[in-house]
Amino acid sequence: MTDSLEQQKPVNIKAQLKNCRSKEETFKTLVTLSKTQPRLCAEDKTEDNKVKGCESAVWLIIVEKDGLRHFKADSDAKLMRGVLVAILSLVEGKTLADIQQMDLRAELAELNLSSYLTSSRNNGVLAILKKVKS
Amino acid sequence: MAFDPSSLRHLFPILAQSAYDHPLTYLDNAATTQKPLPVLDAIQDYYRNFNANVHRGAHFLSDRATNRFEQAREIVASFINAPEQSHVIWTKGATEAINTVAFGLEHILESGDEILITSLEHHANLVPWQQLAFRTGARLRILPLTSNGEWEPEFSHYFTDRTRIFAATQISNAIGASTPLQTMLDHAKQQGAFTLVDGAQAVAHYPVDVQTLNCDFYVFSGHKMYGPTGIGVLYGKSHALEVLMPYQTGGEMVRHVSYQATEFNVLPYRLEAGTPHIEGVIGLATACDFLNAQDRLALLAWEQSLAAHAYARLHKEGSIEIYSPEKNTTLVSLSVPNIHLLDLNTYLDSQGVAVRAGSHCAHPLMAQLGVAGTLRASFACYNTMEEANRFCDVLLDAIDLLNDE
Ligand SMILES: Cc1ncc(COP(=O)(O)O)c(C=O)c1O
């Protein structure tokens, strides 16, 4: 558990989620991953940074540097923070053009996160994916 | 002898499945109940054997369909002890029934009149009245719960000589509390107001007698009482229904039409424009038959014992805030400070436990409770004590997993 609190490498994150064999394991992994993400400070949690359409509050900040996109994100729900860690591990440090080429829904499905893409949580995560690509 | 849910659970085959390798534990009954086999069979039977439009064709199938359709009205009328079947209007649910009244009464309101509702209302029994107030210049007033969740001991002053409409729920869908309905209705009557009772959360659990309640209108949805979706009931006293301007016009609700004018049909047809939801009506009547065949009070006592058991177990945990009453309710509604409801919901779901997390279409009530929403487990007659315990066990596991300490 000790290393879980440090920033994890994307490959690690992917492997951990891919290896989950039940919804319960995915849940626990997301809880663990949620702790690896630094929280946003209050000033960053503005209305502008909020992703509309999520059932929980989600803030996503995109910074472009030398043509590469860097992300910071937070949510008041723990699982959503875990899902954000997973999403950002797929897109962090890439160019916008590269990100736009990606089939993020398929990649998240491979990480056993498709149920976070369906049901009523659907719109929330889809709104995040849209913002990541915008 | 205590009621045993296994005496009827086999009528609900949907419950026998597993969800993600766990037994499905369906505790979202306040949102919608499952449907027993006789209801499913009645719907099939209609389409297989006597599907035809009602009140129209003079032929074999149409006669059969019409007979069953009007027989259903009798069954539903006696289910709520309505004096006459023409007092039962089919709607698509409680929501449409309330809107039918809110639009139908628009012509009696004047600026400065008052519409009174309680602070426990579902949006379905709030927004139509609020919009009606906007349209007419009437004032929407709220009879509130006090901060400790009680009704004020003396609330009669909310009923004034300007109160034209009083609408209240029998039971809150969000927190399971009942309203002191009879007293409220008496006050409203004394002021000559029209009264509407939202029975959406009551009909599945309580025997309803609209004549004892003595309300002008009573509304409910079929899908929350083991019947199909898309069908509901507006009961009204005849003079009250006569006052309503039809909210929808078209076929079926007319007696004679010319380009210059239309003569409306008699009740109940006057308020039922268009081809009705025939299979829904037949399914709903079958759901009433299903409930009539049970010992209703034994079912209610069982459902209340499940909720009281969950309450007692969870109340012991200091970390849980419970908003539903300790007793005499069929649901538990709670939150856990510092843990997001969606996180709890997702864990319960991963274990096959279906509950509802959210504001339960009652934003003002949530605001009053000081929460964004609650997690609600709501029980029906087919739920078992194991399921009540499983809900508690899984919830406590979720809290352990999600706690930061
Ligand atoms: C108390 C109450 N009133 C009204 C409604 C609305 O019912 P429907 O959506 O079936 O029209 C509900 C449903 O959740 C309810 O619980």
Side-chain angles (χ1 to χ4, degrees):
Chain A
M1 284 298 278
T2 43
D3 64 328
S4 70
L5 292 173
E6 293 162 24
Q7 293 263 19
Q8 299 214 4
K9 291 209 178 70
V11 274
N12 264 337
I13 294 169
K14 277 194 205 169
Q16 282 180 53
L17 284 166
K18 245 187 201 160
N19 287 337
C20 292
R21 264 165 320 207
S22 67
K23 280 203 87 159
E24 183 180 353
E25 277 184 36
T26 303
F27 181 96
K28 289 179 175 164
T29 306
L30 287 173
V31 169
T32 310
L33 289 176
S34 75
K35 298 176 185 164
T36 67
Q37 174 106 340
R39 305 295 303 262
L40 287 184
C41 55
E43 298 87 78
D44 280 341
K45 292 185 182 175
T46 61
E47 248 344 92
D48 271 358
N49 290 333
K50 228 175 184 169
V51 182
K52 308 276 176 315
C54 298
E55 264 189 87
S56 48
V58 171
W59 298 269
L60 181 62
I61 301 172
I62 305 175
V63 192
E64 293 249 6
K65 213 171 135 203
D66 305 328
L68 304 180
R69 296 203 128 189
H70 303 281
F71 300 87
K72 286 198 292 185
D74 201 351
S75 168
D76 58 351
K78 206 168 250 187
L79 288 190
M80 191 51 100
R81 291 207 292 280
V83 171
L84 285 165
V85 171
I87 295 174
L88 300 193
S89 77
L90 299 172
V91 296
E92 171 61 34
K94 296 200 159 112
T95 64
L96 178 58
D98 281 347
I99 295 171
Q100 282 172 343
Q101 292 285 312
M102 296 173 76
D103 184 349
L104 291 173
R105 293 180 70 167
E107 296 207 30
L108 290 174
E110 260 180 61
L111 303 183
N112 293 311
L113 294 177
S114 36
S115 73
Y116 292 86
L117 293 165
T118 55
S119 80
S120 50
R121 280 154 289 209
N122 186 3
N123 306 330
V125 174
L126 292 187
I128 296 170
L129 298 186
K130 205 165 153 199
K131 178 152 182 192
V132 161
K133 290 188 172 200
S134 68
Chain B
M1 227 197 67
F3 169 77
D4 179 1
S6 66
S7 67
L8 49 74
R9 194 169 163 107
H10 61 278
L11 295 174
F12 297 86
I14 194 172
L15 299 170
Q17 63 189 303
S18 38
Y20 327 113
D21 297 329
H22 297 282
L24 175 68
T25 303
Y26 186 78
L27 302 178
D28 195 15
N29 295 290
T32 199
T33 58
Q34 300 304 339
K35 324 302 171 199
L37 283 176
V39 170
L40 307 183
D41 291 345
I43 294 169
Q44 270 258 357
D45 183 40
Y46 163 65
Y47 282 119
R48 289 185 80 105
N49 297 314
F50 60 100
N51 168 50
N53 209 331
V54 291
H55 306 135
R56 294 188 189 178
H59 56 71
F60 177 72
L61 286 183
S62 174
D63 284 349
R64 276 192 73 191
T66 304
N67 284 341
R68 286 289 296 274
F69 183 81
E70 289 305 331
Q71 197 188 338
R73 211 188 290 271
E74 261 176 67
I75 293 171
V76 172
S78 90
F79 182 73
I80 54 172
N81 197 30
E84 268 181 60
Q85 44 167 305
S86 62
H87 298 180
V88 168
I89 312 293
W90 303 123
T91 66
K92 67 185 160 94
T95 303
E96 191 181 54
I98 295 166
N99 276 285
T100 301
V101 177
F103 277 89
L105 289 180
E106 184 165 337
H107 65 102
I108 68 150
L109 286 185
E110 286 171 16
S111 171
D113 282 344
E114 294 173 3
I115 304 169
L116 181 64
I117 64 173
T118 81
S119 61
L120 283 185
E121 303 311 317
H122 184 284
H123 292 162
N125 200 26
L126 187 172
V127 185
W129 303 121
Q130 179 192 60
Q131 300 301 312
L132 174 62
F134 290 157
R135 292 196 302 275
T136 57
R139 191 166 151 230
L140 180 69
R141 297 193 65 198
I142 314 296
L143 203 168
L145 285 175
T146 61
S147 54
N148 53 9
E150 306 280 319
W151 297 98
E152 283 176 29
E154 203 21 84
F155 52 63
S156 60
H157 62 275
Y158 284 95
F159 299 83
T160 74
D161 58 1
R162 294 310 300 265
T163 309
R164 301 302 313 276
I165 300 171
F166 171 65
T169 194
Q170 202 167 353
I171 297 169
S172 152
N173 65 308
I175 60 170
S178 316
T179 47
L181 194 58
Q182 203 69 63
T183 315
M184 290 175 167
L185 290 172
D186 290 346
H187 286 312
K189 274 284 128 209
Q190 272 165 29
Q191 300 294 348
F194 280 99
T195 54
L196 178 142
V197 175
D198 176 356
Q201 289 297 331
V203 278
H205 307 287
Y206 296 85
V208 170
D209 182 338
V210 291
Q211 295 189 61
T212 306
L213 281 174
N214 195 23
C215 50
D216 293 312
F217 303 104
Y218 189 93
V219 307
F220 59 98
S221 297
H223 69 96
K224 292 181 197 285
M225 53 162 285
Y226 310 103
T229 52
I231 185 70
V233 169
L234 163 62
Y235 154 82
K237 288 183 180 172
S238 46
H239 80 86
L241 290 173
E242 294 290 357
V243 171
L244 298 183
M245 286 298 287
Y247 154 56
Q248 291 186 357
T249 51
E252 288 269 303
M253 55 82 66
V254 295
R255 186 176 269 155
H256 182 76
V257 179
S258 70
Y259 287 124
Q260 287 72 38
T262 292
E263 188 191 336
F264 294 151
N265 205 339
V266 294
L267 288 171
Y269 312 111
R270 194 168 71 87
L271 295 169
E272 293 177 351
T275 297
H277 184 21
I278 306 168
E279 103 250 19
V281 164
I282 285 164
L284 174 57
T286 313
C288 293
D289 288 341
F290 163 76
L291 278 171
N292 286 334
Q294 315 295 328
D295 177 347
R296 303 262 340 248
L297 294 178
L299 259 57
L300 173 63
W302 175 251
E303 292 156 355
Q304 290 180 339
S305 74
L306 296 176
H309 178 76
Y311 183 101
R313 274 197 64 186
L314 298 173
H315 187 65
K316 286 199 303 241
E317 307 290 326
S319 57
I320 301 178
E321 295 220 22
I322 307 186
Y323 305 100
S324 47
E326 181 176 1
K327 289 204 169 76
N328 300 325
T329 183
T330 58
L331 59 83
V332 249
S333 184
L334 57 88
S335 74
V336 185
N338 301 320
I339 300 187
H340 204 284
L341 286 176
L342 289 180
D343 290 345
L344 292 173
N345 193 13
T346 306
Y347 187 73
L348 284 156
D349 176 51
S350 79
Q351 303 295 307
V353 181
V355 295
R356 175 82 177 272
S359 59
H360 313 294
C361 299
H363 291 160
L365 176 60
M366 294 296 125
Q368 194 191 336
L369 295 174
V371 288
T374 73
L375 186 101
R376 179 188 72 191
S378 51
F379 297 95
C381 61
Y382 41 65
N383 287 125
T384 64
M385 194 52 86
E386 290 76 52
E387 288 180 313
N389 275 317
R390 193 166 153 68
F391 163 65
C392 298
D393 293 340
V394 174
L395 178 67
L396 295 176
D397 285 350
I399 293 172
D400 269 352
L401 277 166
L402 291 161
N403 244 334
D404 277 320
E405 270 67 49

